[in-house]
Amino acid sequence: MADPYQNNVYHQGGGDSYGSYGEGGGHDGYGYQADDPTQEEDAASDATEGHDEEDQMYEGEYQGIPHPDEVKAAQRAARAKTRAAGSAVSELEELSEQYEDIMEDCGHGKFQWTLFVVLGLALMADGVECFVVAFVLPSAEKDLCLSNAEKGMLGLTVFLSMMVGAFLWGGLADKVGRRRCLIVALAINCVFAFLSAFAQGYGFFLFFRVLSGVGIGGTVPIVYSYFSEFLQMDKRGEHLSWLCMFWMIGGIYASFTAWGIIPRYGWGFSMGTEFQFHSWRVFVLVAALPAISSLVGLTFMPESPRFLLETAKHDEAWMILKQVHDTNWRAKGQPEKVFTVTHIKAPKTAEDEFIEIQSATGTALQRWAVRSLTLCKLVLKNVASLLSAELRFATLFMAIIWFCMAFSYYGLSVWFPDMIKHLQYEEYESKVKVFHGERVENFHFNFSLENQIHKEGEYINDSFIKIEMKSVRFEGSLFEGCRFEDIRSTDTVFENCTIRSTRFSDTDLWEEKFIDCRIENTTFEHNKQGCHLDTVEENDVLIYLVSFLGSLAVLPGNIISALFMEKIGRVKIIGGSMLLSAGCTFLLFLSFSQSAIIALQCLFCGVSVAAWNGIQVVTVELFPTSKRATAFGLLNALCKLAAVLGSSIFPSFVGVTRAVPILLSFAALVCGGLVALRLPDTRDKILQ
């Protein structure tokens, strides 16, 4: 059987010219002719009308600066010379070089910037997702009556679901397509994030947030793989680094909106006692806006042509590359510049042939079952191929770097606010008022009680009506003939107390708040049902401010890493940033105040972001197109696993010792930094 792609050869003649698409306009497909002299004359006339030829002279000519087109031509000639001097080039290597030449001709312009914003919003949605649960928990724990175990489970399962999503969607993106998988992943995130805002019980809320996490988990591996395949080599490192900035913007957006919405307890409504919609639920809806915006934008974006070429869909790839070329040059005021590319060589794989055979046999359900099973096998085979001889060391080194960075970063990201809360608690506890042996008779308590300890007191015929009790402890006290009505309490307990002839009505003082107490002739009527929201802001503003400053501190590091990614190189940026971050952790031994911890958090986030940017750029460049998203998904899943471990281990030492978290993060960062310095420099590497 004749090879149907034997004529699909990429022609490169005369330097920058690729020839016409098809031969003599007789090919079934595109009748576009690049060598029509009439078109060229008209285009030249339009472009030069009203200008002298000298006016079009390149500005840098007098300074001896070569024209960009000359630089491109020299780079291509060097690549061709290297190829000719070396051994036989495989079809995929030839395709990679051809694709790089085409992207250079397409240029970097309006199309890439539009895609940059659309994909940036998806990355922003991932950043928001990491903050949503942490911000809503203080309110949701009262609204949903969450125990400490349930709160911990909620935070844990969200990260685990994102880990599953990264692995799942990363693998599928290499087989189904970047754009298609990203659209489905974002759609899942939007739908279940929306449903979680209306979930009234813990079970449903957890279920919806898990599915939302599975959806958003696919954004990071797909976004970087997708965007990198529209970038030429000399733009790749810088613009992928700029893209990383959207994760920071997501953190700022989440902090700012949470700060503005959640403390506004009037922003909500209720339908009886069964359905409550408080302000934190409004925040959950607002947090989904970046994902919705990205989803809408993606409907206008094309699939990655590099992926299409990898799967032998050369006609679709050609049309998209022409769209990129024409969009960019029209925006630059040069609509006359033509896209001069013939068919591009696109090797066909065995998997494609298998899918084609199955599509013509059996019922629709059978075809779906066979395709799904085949797809799972292909994804797992792709994952296994990451441990092949060619990719084994790259996969291992990147796994170590991702794990070490995520373990330290996410561990400290949880440790910082927990330490601040611990210092606040210590300060609050130091101001406690202790009342010993007081006797109060026939008194009407109409003011709130806060941060008090009452020991061995006697309260005879007293009334506690319409008040709040916050952090109040009664020890060994006597209550006789008292009335408690319309009481709201937080962290309030009665221990070893005697309660006689006392009436509790419309209170939330339940049985578990009476520890080893003797209760005689006492009634409990119309106890408040469920949980309640605190009506005071407490330290909400500080919590949001800390997260806001931590996200904002990333900005300088993002800018510096983007500007120097090509100049310094990815390897030096990763290694240097991780080692410098390790040095920052030792300063934590000197932090004894809230302001010092906030300052060190900002410093750590600002320094470590450069390492994150470099890691993501190198991950894209080390792996070939057929395995790029799979590798990124696997490594990002490992990152989420490290995040779960770090955020579980580090907070357990708050109030015990700060040495263990500091030494763990230091060791992880040094290990990752030293391994990073062993990576190859990928600055001048064409995407394979």
Side-chain angles (χ1 to χ4, degrees):
M1 180 178 176
D3 181 5
Y5 294 90
Q6 63 183 356
N7 294 324
N8 298 342
V9 180
Y10 173 92
H11 298 287
Q12 183 175 357
D16 294 340
S17 176
Y18 294 92
S20 62
Y21 184 86
E23 298 184 72
H27 190 278
D28 293 335
Y30 311 98
Y32 174 76
Q33 295 290 324
D35 53 355
D36 187 342
T38 307
Q39 290 183 5
E40 292 181 358
E41 287 178 11
D42 293 342
S45 176
D46 293 340
T48 59
E49 183 177 358
H51 300 276
D52 292 326
E53 204 169 300
E54 290 76 14
D55 294 337
Q56 304 300 320
M57 186 173 292
Y58 173 57
E59 294 178 357
E61 185 174 342
Y62 292 114
Q63 288 81 27
I65 303 173
H67 194 280
D69 289 341
E70 295 176 6
V71 175
K72 291 179 183 178
Q75 290 174 344
R76 292 178 186 175
R79 288 199 293 266
K81 184 177 180 181
T82 302
R83 187 168 64 246
S87 57
V89 179
S90 68
E91 288 181 335
L92 289 176
E93 289 175 338
E94 184 180 349
L95 172 60
S96 300
E97 294 183 4
Q98 294 167 358
Y99 190 78
E100 179 63 30
D101 292 344
I102 294 172
M103 291 311 302
E104 287 179 356
D105 276 353
C106 290
H108 189 93
K110 180 181 177 181
F111 181 89
Q112 279 86 357
W113 285 114
T114 304
L115 184 63
F116 173 82
V117 173
V118 172
L119 296 182
L121 287 169
L123 201 59
M124 179 177 168
D126 181 85
V128 171
E129 187 76 14
C130 294
F131 289 92
V132 168
V133 170
F135 285 155
V136 304
L137 267 182
S139 298
E141 68 173 311
K142 299 294 179 64
D143 208 4
L144 300 176
C145 302
L146 303 183
S147 64
N148 289 333
E150 288 173 331
K151 288 190 292 180
M153 179 63 70
L154 183 59
L156 176 68
T157 51
V158 168
F159 264 104
L160 290 176
S161 66
M162 292 176 73
M163 179 183 76
V164 173
F167 180 81
L168 173 67
W169 296 113
L172 289 175
D174 277 334
K175 296 301 175 185
V176 179
R178 282 80 161 103
R179 174 181 175 272
R180 184 177 174 185
C181 284
L182 187 55
I183 286 176
V184 175
L186 286 173
I188 290 173
N189 172 252
C190 293
V191 169
F192 289 104
F194 177 82
L195 292 175
S196 72
F198 295 89
Q200 294 299 300
Y202 170 73
F204 278 113
F205 183 76
L206 177 64
F207 177 71
F208 291 142
R209 291 315 302 183
V210 165
L211 292 181
S212 172
V214 170
I216 203 66
T219 54
V220 172
I222 298 176
V223 161
Y224 286 102
S225 302
Y226 190 10
F227 191 52
S228 67
E229 291 165 1
F230 283 96
L231 298 173
Q232 58 201 66
M233 184 171 61
D234 59 342
K235 301 283 186 182
R236 197 166 57 228
E238 178 185 351
H239 289 274
L240 285 175
S241 297
W242 289 126
L243 186 66
C244 297
M245 194 176 294
F246 277 93
W247 203 92
M248 169 207 73
I249 296 173
I252 293 176
Y253 174 81
S255 305
F256 187 76
T257 53
W259 190 352
I261 294 174
I262 294 179
R264 308 296 186 266
Y265 296 101
W267 289 19
F269 61 91
S270 62
M271 298 173 63
T273 59
E274 298 299 322
F275 186 87
Q276 304 287 332
F277 195 90
H278 293 112
S279 57
W280 68 267
R281 299 180 183 273
V282 178
F283 166 69
V284 172
L285 292 177
V286 172
L289 291 180
I292 296 172
S293 303
S294 180
L295 184 60
V296 172
L298 277 170
T299 60
F300 300 97
M301 292 291 107
E303 181 56 86
S304 162
R306 187 66 179 86
F307 166 78
L308 294 173
L309 291 173
E310 196 73 23
T311 54
K313 297 177 181 177
H314 52 87
D315 288 349
E316 295 177 48
W318 188 91
M319 288 294 291
I320 294 169
L321 287 168
K322 184 178 185 302
Q323 176 190 348
V324 175
H325 177 280
D326 294 347
T327 300
N328 286 342
W329 289 109
R330 273 199 301 268
K332 293 176 181 178
Q334 300 183 52
E336 73 284 352
K337 194 151 185 172
V338 294
F339 184 60
T340 55
V341 177
T342 64
H343 279 115
I344 308 167
K345 188 171 185 63
K348 189 168 184 176
T349 61
E351 298 94 73
D352 298 321
E353 292 175 355
F354 183 82
I355 295 292
E356 287 172 10
I357 292 170
Q358 294 302 326
S359 64
T361 59
T363 64
L365 181 60
Q366 288 174 331
R367 291 198 299 270
W368 177 84
V370 171
R371 285 174 177 167
S372 299
L373 182 60
T374 303
L375 196 56
C376 291
K377 289 180 179 178
L378 294 175
V379 169
L380 294 176
K381 182 180 177 181
N382 223 21
V383 173
S385 68
L386 296 176
L387 298 177
S388 63
E390 299 83 9
L391 298 174
R392 186 181 304 144
F393 287 107
T395 304
L396 178 61
F397 282 9
M398 291 308 301
I400 293 172
I401 294 167
W402 273 91
F403 186 89
C404 290
M405 188 67 205
F407 179 77
S408 177
Y409 181 84
Y410 285 102
L412 287 177
S413 294
V414 175
W415 185 81
F416 282 125
D418 280 6
M419 270 300 295
I420 292 173
K421 289 179 183 178
H422 176 69
L423 292 176
Q424 290 175 339
Y425 177 75
E426 285 186 335
E427 182 181 357
Y428 183 78
E429 202 174 39
S430 67
K431 297 178 181 178
V432 65
K433 296 178 181 178
V434 179
F435 300 86
H436 193 280
E438 63 178 350
R439 179 181 176 88
V440 182
E441 291 187 56
N442 301 313
F443 187 79
H444 179 66
F445 288 86
N446 58 358
F447 50 87
S448 295
L449 306 178
E450 181 177 355
N451 199 19
Q452 298 177 2
I453 298 177
H454 298 263
K455 296 182 177 182
E456 300 178 1
E458 295 182 3
Y459 304 90
I460 312 298
N461 298 323
D462 295 327
S463 299
F464 300 81
I465 300 177
K466 290 185 179 181
I467 66 172
E468 289 187 29
M469 295 181 175
K470 181 180 178 184
S471 299
V472 179
R473 188 178 192 90
F474 293 95
E475 298 179 0
S477 298
L478 169 67
F479 294 85
E480 186 169 355
C482 296
R483 284 194 306 150
F484 289 82
E485 294 182 9
D486 194 11
I487 305 296
R488 293 166 64 94
S489 65
T490 304
D491 296 329
T492 295
V493 295
F494 296 76
E495 187 173 358
N496 296 319
C497 294
T498 301
I499 303 173
R500 298 193 191 116
S501 304
T502 297
R503 179 171 173 262
F504 292 85
S505 176
D506 192 25
T507 74
D508 59 4
L509 298 173
W510 303 310
E511 185 178 343
E512 60 267 20
K513 296 193 177 183
F514 296 89
I515 303 171
D516 298 329
C517 292
R518 192 169 71 178
I519 301 176
E520 302 173 357
N521 195 28
T522 296
T523 58
F524 292 84
E525 300 175 352
H526 311 295
N527 281 350
K528 294 182 184 292
Q529 298 298 316
C531 307
H532 61 266
L533 286 170
D534 290 331
T535 55
V536 291
E537 294 188 17
E538 300 179 358
N539 295 312
D540 285 349
V541 172
L542 183 60
I543 294 171
Y544 305 139
L545 180 61
V546 169
S547 300
F548 178 82
L549 291 175
S551 299
L552 192 62
V554 170
L555 181 61
N558 254 316
I559 295 174
I560 293 171
S561 63
L563 294 177
F564 291 94
M565 190 65 71
E566 299 295 345
K567 296 182 176 68
I568 297 177
R570 294 87 160 106
V571 174
K572 291 180 180 177
I573 283 183
I574 298 172
S577 177
M578 292 187 76
L579 294 175
L580 192 57
S581 299
C584 292
T585 60
F586 265 97
L587 296 176
L588 293 173
F589 280 116
L590 305 177
S591 58
F592 297 101
S593 65
Q594 296 178 39
S595 56
I597 290 178
I598 293 173
L600 288 172
Q601 178 189 13
C602 293
L603 177 63
F604 177 78
C605 292
V607 172
S608 61
V609 70
W612 277 120
N613 292 0
I615 288 170
Q616 286 153 350
V617 172
V618 168
T619 304
V620 163
E621 296 173 336
L622 278 179
F623 297 94
T625 301
S626 61
K627 300 172 179 59
R628 183 169 297 121
T630 301
F632 213 124
L634 177 64
L635 294 170
N636 195 249
L638 187 64
C639 165
K640 295 298 188 291
L641 177 61
V644 169
L645 293 175
S647 56
S648 301
I649 294 172
F650 281 49
S652 63
F653 291 98
V654 171
V656 179
T657 177
R658 65 180 65 193
V660 174
I662 292 173
L663 292 177
L664 282 175
S665 60
F666 175 81
L669 289 168
V670 169
C671 176
L674 294 177
V675 172
L677 295 176
R678 304 279 299 180
L679 291 172
D681 192 350
T682 55
R683 268 183 294 181
D684 299 323
K685 181 180 180 181
I686 295 173
L687 284 184
Q688 296 299 309

